[in-house]
Amino acid sequence: MFNSLICLATAIYFEARGEPMVGQVAVAQVVINRVADWRYPNDVCEVVKQGYYYTWDSTKPIKDKCQFSFWCDGLPETINDKLAWGFALDIAEATLNGYLYDTTQGATHYHAYYVQPSWRKSFTQTVRINDHIFYRWEIE
């Protein structure tokens, strides 16, 4: 059974464990910013797992059709780096408790600097933190 802490730590671990703390916090903030945004689910686990799922198996996401790439990249979510996992848990807990500043300036999206997704032009770029560029979806 997943809970908010585990879901957020999992997203941090698989999306940003190679980043310094500020980059990991930024990924966590994107999840939290989405939870706060009416256009997304209001639950951390639902945000992390958001994507397209097969109609015949609502537990199986369609490969490469998720909001967070790790969730549906076809690779098992195996945690091999216990130190990085502990750090992700600490960041997730601090983020969920509101202890960390949102360095993304309200970002709801991000991508690695070396890719150029088509959606990026529809959002306001806020900041680049190491390997990720962050974007805010403006209120309509």
Side-chain angles (χ1 to χ4, degrees), residues 1-11 44-45 85 89 92 96:
M1 185 73 165
F2 280 82
N3 64 33
S4 295
L5 176 66
I6 298 302
C7 287
L8 187 56
T10 301
V44 170
C45 291
W85 174 244
L89 283 168
L96 289 168

Side-chain angles (χ1 to χ4, degrees), residues 18-139:
E19 295 287 307
M21 181 179 174
V22 66
Q24 293 183 45
V25 170
V27 166
Q29 284 301 151
V30 166
V31 173
I32 297 304
N33 291 341
R34 285 184 178 203
V35 170
D37 188 315
W38 64 271
R39 294 167 286 205
Y40 293 95
N42 62 358
D43 175 82
V44 170
C45 291
E46 289 179 29
V47 165
V48 169
K49 298 176 183 181
Q50 190 176 19
Y52 293 98
Y53 288 75
Y54 290 103
T55 55
W56 63 85
D57 185 351
S58 62
T59 65
K60 184 175 171 84
I62 298 172
K63 190 172 189 295
D64 300 326
K65 297 290 183 187
C66 296
Q67 296 291 316
F68 294 92
S69 59
F70 84 92
W71 187 250
C72 63
D73 59 8
L75 301 173
E77 274 63 66
T78 305
I79 296 166
N80 294 320
D81 184 337
K82 299 300 183 194
L83 184 61
W85 174 244
F87 199 52
L89 283 168
D90 289 344
I91 291 170
E93 183 175 24
T95 302
L96 289 168
N97 287 321
Y99 297 148
L100 301 175
Y101 176 75
D102 181 7
T103 58
T104 73
Q105 302 168 35
T108 51
H109 294 72
Y110 65 91
H111 64 81
Y113 73 90
Y114 50 83
V115 298
Q116 295 185 348
S118 59
W119 55 257
R120 75 188 188 287
K121 295 181 180 180
S122 301
F123 301 96
T124 302
Q125 184 176 332
T126 60
V127 66
R128 176 177 172 175
I129 300 174
N130 291 47
D131 289 346
H132 293 118
I133 301 171
F134 293 83
Y135 299 83
R136 181 175 51 243
W137 192 357
E138 301 297 346
I139 301 299

